[in-house]
Amino acid sequence: MLYSLIMRDNIKKEIKSSLGNGKVKILCGAYSKTMKEFLVDEIRQTFKNVYYIGSVFTKVDLLEHLSENLSTEDSVKKIFIIDRLPDYNDIDGIINLFAGNSNVDLIASSNIHLEDLLGNRSTVIRGRVQYIAFPPFLYSDFLDNHHTFDLLNYVEDTDEKLFDYIPTFKYKNEVEKICDYIAKNVGYPVNFRGMFENMSPDVSLNTFVGIFNYAAHHRFFYALNRFDLKKMDKLPNYLYCYPADISQICRSVTNIDKQRRSVYETAIIAKLINDNNLTYKAVYRNSENKHSNALANTYFVVSKTKQFLLKLYFTENQDSLERYYRYRSLYPRFIIIMDDIDTYVDEHGVTYMSVKNFLTYGVQ
């Protein structure tokens, strides 16, 4: 098992810039060794006056302990760390102890948005939580290790074993089968009925949908909606899914070339999510030739400052390339290829980038 240095500098910068803003910082992603190492080791090494609240407290007594011992009047700024916040009772009470205070910050991890967990009581934490996406794997983890071998070899040796964190979940086996199915179908549309019929689980379709939603909410995989660029609206029914544990691809797919393409494509999605982009699979309904997805392997990305189209061109398909060229867009267009090239703009105004450059630097 290889461990990353887990620099994740962008996350540390976001935390540093938000200290004292009165919001609880939540690292949100699938529970993983990577997340815990970052939270417990990297944060404590980066910032001063950090206090780690370990597993010595039961689910019910943490709030009482904090209420009795937390001083917000001390002039020394303090940072508290709680790993796996949803494991404790009175989450809203814990958050409200820290929220609004400029001298005391809480940084915690969660594999689910707390509003989903609290349900009808979610209003009590509204505006008091700041979510920071934390994928179990990023390409920067590979670079931080200074290894010279191939990314695929690295991924094979970094199994996060995300399923170890749901040993008591009734439908754990079904979640594992869903993740295996998703790893085999990276880049392809999936829907509930198709997965259900392919997997033939020993549950009803309604239960299966509930299991899928549970796994998606708890970050076992990334689920992207389709987005119709003509109507500028999300489309229902089909999703594009990518495993959060990228090593799942190596265990589920036997073809090496497909493994490599799927690993890089999933790493791209993880980076886009980590960079806090809204990411959709782009669809353009062309009534002239009846193509429902004229922009093959293309994403519509919405960031805080820009919107752009990102096409993955990992295999030769001249028709899909021509359709991408013909699509007239007000958005900047990018093409990501496997070859190691310098970034350049072609005669169509499309920017070409190597996958490694994109994963390292993103869209500038």
Side-chain angles (χ1 to χ4, degrees):
M1 182 70 65
L2 297 172
Y3 291 96
S4 163
L5 295 181
I6 319 176
M7 296 300 290
R8 310 253 177 156
D9 284 338
N10 63 322
I11 295 179
K12 287 192 283 190
K13 288 177 182 178
E14 183 172 353
I15 291 173
K16 183 177 180 179
S17 66
S18 62
L19 291 176
N21 69 356
K23 293 187 177 183
V24 171
K25 269 62 80 175
I26 301 293
L27 300 182
C28 197
Y31 286 145
S32 61
K33 291 181 290 293
T34 305
M35 176 186 276
K36 185 169 184 179
E37 287 177 13
F38 180 88
L39 185 67
V40 177
D41 297 330
E42 287 286 319
I43 295 298
R44 288 201 288 183
Q45 293 172 14
T46 302
F47 301 103
K48 297 179 179 179
N49 300 317
V50 176
Y51 302 87
Y52 172 53
I53 299 174
S55 57
V56 295
F57 298 100
T58 67
K59 293 179 63 174
V60 298
D61 63 5
L62 178 57
L63 177 61
E64 180 181 356
H65 170 81
L66 289 172
S67 299
E68 294 175 350
N69 295 278
L70 182 63
S71 173
T72 61
E73 298 177 357
D74 195 330
S75 60
V76 178
K77 295 182 182 295
K78 299 177 181 178
I79 298 173
F80 288 80
I81 294 175
I82 300 177
D83 187 33
R84 297 175 63 174
L85 182 59
D87 284 0
Y88 297 95
N89 289 353
D90 303 309
I91 295 172
D92 50 334
I94 293 172
I95 289 174
N96 287 328
L97 281 178
F98 291 89
N101 294 312
S102 59
N103 284 337
V104 180
D105 278 280
L106 172 62
I107 305 173
S109 62
S110 176
N111 65 347
I112 186 172
H113 274 99
L114 300 181
E115 289 82 356
D116 293 337
L117 195 63
L118 293 174
N120 294 333
R121 295 190 299 114
S122 63
T123 55
V124 300
I125 65 168
R126 183 175 297 165
R128 300 188 166 206
V129 173
Q130 175 181 343
Y131 291 104
I132 301 173
F134 195 99
F137 171 84
L138 287 175
Y139 186 68
S140 58
D141 300 338
F142 167 67
L143 296 179
D144 288 343
N145 273 275
H146 304 293
H147 289 295
T148 57
F149 56 84
D150 186 75
L151 172 64
L152 203 59
N153 301 120
Y154 175 82
V155 167
E156 287 179 317
D157 290 333
T158 53
D159 176 13
E160 281 284 4
K161 299 186 183 301
L162 304 186
F163 301 107
D164 289 351
Y165 293 96
I166 55 167
T168 60
F169 181 54
K170 181 179 179 180
Y171 299 109
K172 176 186 174 182
N173 291 337
E174 283 73 15
V175 172
E176 293 194 60
K177 291 177 182 177
I178 288 172
C179 290
D180 176 67
Y181 182 88
I182 286 171
K184 291 175 180 176
N185 289 276
V186 166
Y188 294 96
V190 299
N191 65 6
F192 294 131
R193 184 166 293 279
M195 282 191 293
F196 181 78
E197 293 176 352
N198 183 278
M199 293 169 53
S200 301
D202 192 23
V203 295
S204 68
L205 177 58
N206 285 341
T207 300
F208 179 80
V209 172
I211 297 169
F212 180 95
N213 288 334
Y214 173 92
H217 287 161
H218 288 77
R219 306 301 191 269
F220 282 91
F221 50 84
Y222 314 116
L224 306 187
N225 289 109
R226 297 186 303 163
F227 193 90
D228 188 340
L229 293 171
K230 191 168 186 178
K231 294 184 177 180
M232 294 304 295
D233 195 13
K234 289 191 296 185
L235 295 172
N237 301 328
Y238 287 93
L239 296 169
Y240 288 78
C241 299
Y242 305 83
D245 177 6
I246 202 168
S247 65
Q248 177 77 40
I249 295 169
C250 297
R251 298 192 298 275
S252 300
V253 177
T254 56
N255 181 278
I256 299 298
D257 288 336
K258 184 178 179 182
Q259 278 185 7
R260 181 168 284 103
R261 292 194 301 270
S262 297
V263 162
Y264 274 109
E265 184 168 351
T266 304
I268 287 171
I269 297 303
K271 176 173 177 55
L272 289 170
I273 290 172
N274 180 69
D275 291 343
N276 294 316
N277 296 298
L278 294 176
T279 306
Y280 305 95
K281 199 77 170 188
V283 173
Y284 182 75
R285 293 183 180 277
N286 190 329
S287 59
E288 182 179 334
N289 58 22
K290 305 302 181 183
H291 278 295
S292 62
N293 191 2
L295 301 177
N297 301 320
T298 301
Y299 301 96
F300 177 52
V301 183
V302 181
S303 72
K304 292 180 180 179
T305 58
K306 55 182 173 287
Q307 300 174 341
F308 58 92
L309 295 175
L310 187 70
K311 178 179 176 61
L312 308 188
Y313 195 61
F314 291 168
T315 58
E316 288 289 332
N317 187 335
Q318 193 63 32
D319 287 342
S320 75
L321 197 59
E322 292 296 332
R323 289 199 298 270
Y324 192 61
Y325 286 151
R326 289 196 302 268
Y327 175 66
R328 300 303 178 189
S329 170
L330 297 175
Y331 309 114
R333 290 176 294 171
F334 296 84
I335 291 179
I336 310 298
I337 65 174
M338 283 286 195
D339 297 339
D340 287 332
I341 60 167
D342 292 330
T343 300
Y344 71 93
V345 181
D346 72 1
E347 67 273 18
H348 302 280
V350 176
T351 301
Y352 276 75
M353 300 179 67
S354 73
V355 65
K356 293 179 180 178
N357 277 348
F358 174 81
L359 290 173
T360 304
Y361 304 109
V363 169
Q364 303 299 313

